[in-house]
């Protein structure tokens, strides 16, 4: 990426350290972002409101992206540390709490909250030392139902129903603004003692169970397969299992399978 | 402006009426906006959050502006009704309550509030039937101190001090979002019986008094003139005089001048 940080011209103080004094914050994960300008605008508004970690899933125009640099207006602490991922699953693998922004109503059992509530929850999770992700869909299609099903909560921005398409950077603006506002709010974790497993651990459980069920022809008829799988994913995600619980459950699944095979 | 409302293609329902069901809202006034893209992004996020009236002061690239249309993504109810003005003073002439967004600290006696408080105040004013304006500065220099002095309140978005430059459309996003949120909050007018005079009426008073004082060499020394005038403007604006009070005060000024001239 070309150096677009105007503050690094000779004679101007560097703003590179704009992120250093900030505390931990949720990662922002953009799935299938299209326009570099929007990625840059997201990076800028993140740093405006004290959010520093940005991950991109399949950016359409590759990465780095010149247009993102131009629009970020010097938000180098964010842009310089962007990581690129092939799937949402990979981008949130190390996270323990995931919120997904979506405009459309989804027929899912995942709880839906407003940005303010989401921010308070993220704040409580981050302050408990947990790695959190805030997931945003791309300009064209938003998030897939599969990816929304990976979230602990769905964040819905209350909006004019007659004109409900919120620009990606504006959705990020509202969430980042509420994140900054939540600095002064107090939220409590449902249970501070329970540390949820990282997403890749939960994903291992889901894969394991779905794989075994698939072999048994459980997901039938074919046209219902993806819906049945998604419902299973939401249930196992919402459970917020600890790492130890996932371990036990996988042991149980294994036992069930092997016991059956020994019969 | 070309028709950029994608919803007016044959076979798609028109969204032209997205603004019709909305109640009254504050006007957004952009002073010296430069990029059409930002004007379009402001229009879009305004309509997302139920704000419909947009006024432009000296748009750099003229008006209409194709790039604004493209970025507005169908926010025709806002763009089609834009008015263009030569001065901020003209753009807010018919308004009774004005809020100004600014990042820099100003040495002024005008009260400074957060977006949430500003929205609650604007909501109360609008519900009392008063015409309100939300003033935003341009990309390059923000608002002039002269124009900030025209405001009843200054709105300051709490932001990362190490990276405090908020994009115009993002500033509009935060204010419009809080406006939509304020729908459920209850704020009371300081005094619902007192209807403040429109800005052009207050401006007449300020001009009258300053003109008379100027003739007397009151604004001395020259290098302090603009500061002295601005302080006077803030005082007379903050007073929130009614129309009748302005009339009385102008009568008083006239009497003082004529009495002196007769001596």
């Amino acid at each position: 990426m070309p150096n677009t940080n105007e503050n690094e011209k000779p004679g101007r103080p560097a703003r590179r350290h704009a992120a250093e004094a900030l505390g931990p914050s949720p990662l922002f994960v953009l799935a299938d972002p299209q326009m570099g300008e929007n990625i840059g605008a997201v990076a800028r508004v993140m740093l405006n409101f004290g959010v520093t970690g940005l991950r991109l899933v399949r950016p359409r125009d590759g990465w780095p992206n010149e247009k993102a640099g131009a629009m970020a207006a010097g938000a180098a602490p964010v842009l310089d540390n962007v990581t690129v991922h092939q799937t949402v699953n990979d981008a949130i693998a190390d996270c323990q709490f995931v919120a997904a922004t979506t405009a459309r109503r989804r027929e899912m059992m995942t709880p839906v909250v407003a940005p303010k509530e989401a921010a308070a929850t993220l704040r409580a999770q981050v302050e408990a030392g947990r790695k959190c992700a805030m997931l945003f869909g791309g300009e064209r299609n938003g998030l897939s139902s599969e990816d929304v099903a990976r979230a602990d909560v769905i964040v819905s921005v209350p909006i004019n129903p007659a004109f409900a398409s919120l620009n990606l950077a504006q959705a990020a603006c509202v969430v980042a603004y509420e994140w900054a506002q939540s600095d002064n709010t107090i939220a409590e974790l449902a249970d501070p003692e329970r540390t949820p497993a990282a997403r890749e651990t939960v994903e291992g459980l889901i894969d394991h169970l779905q794989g075994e069920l698939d072999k048994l022809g459980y997901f039938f008829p074919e046209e219902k397969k993806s819906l049945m799988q998604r419902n299973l994913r939401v249930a196992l995600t919402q459970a917020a299992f600890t790492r130890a619980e996932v371990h036990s459950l996988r042991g149980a699944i294994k036992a069930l399978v092997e016991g059956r095979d020994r019969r």
Side-chain angles (χ1 to χ4, degrees), chain A:
Chain A
M1 193 186 64
N3 178 3
T4 54
N5 185 341
E6 60 175 12
N7 296 291
E8 294 191 2
K9 287 173 193 160
R12 304 187 79 174
R15 268 199 204 146
R16 252 191 197 290
H17 305 293
E20 278 184 7
L22 300 168
S25 56
L27 295 158
F28 275 23
V29 177
L30 310 186
D32 299 295
Q34 300 194 315
M35 297 179 67
E37 291 88 339
N38 282 336
I39 299 170
V42 169
R44 177 173 176 180
V45 80
M46 284 171 63
L47 193 55
N48 285 149
F49 291 117
V51 180
T52 52
L54 178 58
R55 295 179 175 180
L56 305 179
V57 179
R58 298 177 297 258
R60 183 190 65 186
D61 301 335
W63 192 260
N65 181 315
E66 269 193 43
K67 287 176 179 166
M71 275 297 283
V78 176
L79 284 191
D80 291 355
N81 295 302
V82 161
T83 56
V84 177
H85 304 261
Q86 282 314 302
T87 62
V88 167
N89 195 25
D90 176 46
I92 62 173
D94 57 346
C95 296
Q96 293 164 294
F97 186 85
V98 177
T101 309
T102 163
R104 278 174 288 154
R105 296 243 159 237
R106 313 271 182 161
E107 299 301 322
M108 255 180 237
M109 293 304 293
T110 310
V112 180
V113 300
K116 192 178 198 66
E117 293 169 78
T121 304
L122 285 167
R123 178 71 63 179
Q125 296 280 348
V126 166
E127 288 189 351
R130 297 181 186 164
K131 199 153 195 169
C132 297
M134 186 66 231
L135 197 52
F136 298 88
E139 295 91 333
R140 183 179 290 268
N141 296 315
L143 289 170
S144 72
S145 294
E146 260 51 47
D147 287 334
V148 172
R150 299 178 198 282
D152 294 280
V153 293
I154 294 174
V155 185
S156 178
V157 180
I159 212 164
N160 175 5
F163 192 69
S165 151
L166 194 61
N167 169 267
L168 173 57
Q170 305 289 39
C173 176
V174 168
V175 174
Y177 165 72
E178 286 288 16
W179 164 258
Q181 292 289 104
S182 72
D183 209 0
N184 298 314
T185 62
I186 292 159
E188 280 181 29
L189 286 174
D191 185 350
E193 298 303 309
R194 282 184 63 88
T195 301
R199 272 300 184 280
E200 59 194 337
T201 306
V202 178
E203 201 56 38
L205 170 65
I206 295 169
D207 276 355
H208 186 175
L209 179 57
Q210 287 187 345
E212 293 296 347
L213 291 172
D214 210 13
K215 280 190 262 177
L216 298 171
Y218 173 86
F219 299 111
F220 179 87
E222 185 63 28
E223 63 269 25
K224 288 208 175 163
K225 181 172 180 175
S226 70
L227 180 64
M228 292 171 80
Q229 288 187 330
R230 191 190 310 148
N231 288 343
L232 203 56
R233 176 182 301 285
V234 169
L236 294 174
T237 301
Q238 290 295 313
F241 294 123
T242 65
R243 192 175 169 80
E245 287 169 343
V246 169
H247 190 74
S248 303
L249 287 166
R250 293 195 62 171
I253 294 166
K254 190 157 178 278
L256 289 173
V257 170
E258 291 181 353
R260 191 191 66 216
D261 288 348
R262 272 203 295 272
R263 266 187 311 211

